Amino acid sequence: MEKAVFYHAGCPVCISAEQDILNLIPKEQVEVVHLGTDKAGIGKAAAAGVKSVPALVLANGNVLHINFGASIDDLK
Amino acid sequence: MEKAVFYHAGCPVCISAEQDILNLIPKEQVEVVHLGTDKAGIGKAAAAGVKSVPALVLANGNVLHINFGASIDDLK
């Protein structure tokens, strides 16, 4: 099976949630791209239909945009 | 490990994307609740912080709201 690609930009509020969802998905089924450090990935993400991060691009081309409602406590 | 809970309401546009993300997560780590058919689940989802579906409530309480940008083709 082709891998899914998880695009993120290291958002400090979301990073624990991102790690949590990655923990649910077996490592060999997902590639992680950090757009903050991998600028070449930005064009690829845009071409895949990514409008915001974090997003999970599935092997069949579907793009899931993930919104983590940051808790007020995290922003203090 | 406690299970994550995936809440959805059977949205026909999103259902393939929902299935795809569920295929990535091992079955024993996620419980699926269909709020269209399981009305008792709605209060539980709201209490967990779910604002929209589909959403994945992680074992640690983080809530990830998932937006699937429906393709125009799916709406025709």
Side-chain angles (χ1 to χ4, degrees):
Chain A
M1 199 184 96
E2 217 182 317
K3 277 188 180 187
V5 185
F6 186 76
Y7 289 103
H8 73 115
C11 156
V13 173
C14 308
I15 208 139
S16 86
E18 293 179 24
Q19 280 307 315
D20 293 334
I21 197 171
L22 288 177
N23 286 341
L24 286 176
I25 301 174
K27 271 195 182 49
E28 67 275 12
Q29 289 188 30
V30 64
E31 180 192 344
V32 178
V33 176
H34 187 320
L35 295 180
T37 55
D38 178 1
K39 298 291 180 191
I42 296 177
K44 236 167 99 177
V50 172
K51 305 286 185 209
S52 60
V53 286
L56 188 65
V57 178
L58 302 171
N60 65 3
N62 280 338
V63 181
L64 301 175
H65 294 99
I66 298 168
N67 294 333
F68 170 56
S71 102
I72 293 294
D73 287 340
D74 292 335
L75 300 174
K76 277 178 189 161
Chain B
M1 198 183 97
E2 218 182 314
K3 277 188 181 191
V5 185
F6 186 77
Y7 290 102
H8 72 116
C11 155
V13 172
C14 308
I15 210 139
S16 85
E18 294 179 22
Q19 279 307 315
D20 292 333
I21 197 171
L22 288 176
N23 286 341
L24 286 176
I25 301 174
K27 272 194 180 51
E28 67 276 14
Q29 289 187 29
V30 64
E31 181 191 343
V32 178
V33 176
H34 187 319
L35 295 180
T37 56
D38 178 359
K39 298 293 180 192
I42 296 176
K44 236 167 99 177
V50 172
K51 307 285 185 208
S52 60
V53 285
L56 188 64
V57 178
L58 301 171
N60 65 2
N62 280 338
V63 181
L64 301 175
H65 294 99
I66 297 169
N67 293 331
F68 170 58
S71 101
I72 293 294
D73 287 342
D74 293 334
L75 300 174
K76 277 177 189 164

